[in-house]
Amino acid sequence: VWAGIVLAVVVASAAFSVRSLPGLGIFSPMILAVMVGMVVANLVGAPAHAKPGIAYCQRNVLRYAIVLLGFQLTAAQVASIGMSGVGVVVLTLAATFCFTLWLGRMLGVDRKLAELIAAGTSICGASAVVATNAVTSARDEDVAYAVAAVTVFGTVAMLGYPLAAPFLSLGQHAFGLWSGSSIHEIAQVIGASFQVGSQAGEVATIAKLARVTLLAPVVITLGILAARGRKGESTAKPPMPWFVVAFIGAVAVNSLVAIPAEAKQTIALATTFMLTVGLAAMGLQTNVSAIRSRGLRPLLLALSAFVFIACFSLTLVKLTA
């Protein structure tokens, strides 16, 4: 598997390097890794002997990264935004997920792709897309499409929210809660909220991490629904991905054990790099023509989900402020 692993690492490293180019620093290395991998796969082609290692990165490395993501969360952090803040986060996530699935059905978007877009928009961007695909089992092209779509609109939110702040009469706490409960990626949340102030940034980060804790129950629920939808419903077992259980365990450990700050920083860097390697592998296995065949309806769905989560969460924040 080493040839494929090395290739995925090289593509991921290239994505980090590309971020240093003018105008590209606003993008997550994860989406850049997908794009670089797609360029390599569709213009040059990945060698056949690298396929096993690429598949290993796409499946295993991504799941190890999601486990490590749990070490960025504690139960105390979630509780610190208060019951009203937790309520805003939970209601926004649930409403956005359901709305996206409903609209996807109305637009005729494949259900698996709609589920990936719903998870990426309502929970935590690319990480949620990857985790959800463990039970959705969508095509690689659908995963790449969902990652790209939620990243694009998350970037729009990161740039647009601070510009909208003066017109919305939101204090720092309220703006942080709005950002944390509705912007897609953690990095995008931080990029938007700290522009308004340090308090806004701290509240937004905690609210966002509270959303990430809901990744496990959403994936488990989707697994149960997927099992019920299969033939032989009485014998089908709902999938329980091991990495979801490990993710919950990591959150519990981080809540009960004082992990040194240096170790947490190292884990956070490792998490980001592993996610980038996994998504680079996904790009290396993505066929651009297959993505193009999906048309513009999934993109319209992602746009609509972005507008919905922004407006719905803002309404709740205004009501609870």
Side-chain angles (χ1 to χ4, degrees), residues 60-71 126-132 212 215 243-244 246-248 250 271 274-275:
N60 297 73
V61 173
L62 277 175
R63 295 181 180 189
Y64 298 147
I66 290 170
V67 174
L68 292 180
L69 190 63
F71 287 105
S127 303
V129 171
V130 170
T132 301
V212 177
L215 177 63
F243 70 92
V244 174
F247 170 85
I248 297 172
T271 302
M274 290 170 68
L275 283 170

Side-chain angles (χ1 to χ4, degrees), residues 37-226:
M38 288 171 60
V39 169
V40 172
N42 290 274
L43 293 184
V44 180
H49 66 275
K51 298 288 186 181
I54 294 172
Y56 177 85
C57 290
Q58 182 178 342
R59 183 177 179 86
N60 297 73
V61 173
L62 277 175
R63 295 181 180 189
Y64 298 147
I66 290 170
V67 174
L68 292 180
L69 190 63
F71 287 105
Q72 298 182 33
L73 313 170
T74 67
Q77 286 176 323
V78 177
S80 67
I81 61 173
M83 288 303 297
S84 62
V86 172
V88 169
V89 169
V90 173
L91 287 175
T92 298
L93 189 155
T96 302
F97 199 96
C98 293
F99 168 81
T100 307
L101 291 185
W102 170 80
L103 184 60
R105 190 162 55 250
M106 295 298 101
L107 292 175
V109 176
D110 179 77
R111 180 176 177 83
K112 292 182 178 181
L113 178 54
E115 287 179 351
L116 297 180
I117 293 173
T121 302
S122 63
I123 308 175
C124 56
S127 303
V129 171
V130 170
T132 301
N133 194 50
V135 293
T136 299
S137 299
R139 299 187 308 171
D140 291 343
E141 290 76 17
D142 287 349
V143 177
Y145 196 122
V147 169
V150 300
T151 301
V152 166
F153 293 117
T155 301
V156 171
M158 180 182 69
L159 298 175
Y161 274 37
L163 296 176
F167 304 99
L168 297 176
S169 302
L170 295 175
Q172 288 206 28
H173 184 277
F175 182 84
L177 184 56
W178 179 43
S179 301
S181 62
S182 60
I183 298 180
H184 304 9
E185 296 273 0
I186 293 177
Q188 294 163 347
V189 169
I190 293 172
S193 58
F194 275 98
Q195 293 183 57
V196 174
S198 58
Q199 182 188 357
E202 291 167 2
V203 172
T205 301
I206 293 170
K208 178 61 180 177
L209 294 178
R211 280 168 72 191
V212 177
T213 63
L214 299 173
L215 177 63
V218 169
V219 172
I220 291 171
T221 301
L222 286 175
I224 294 172
L225 294 176

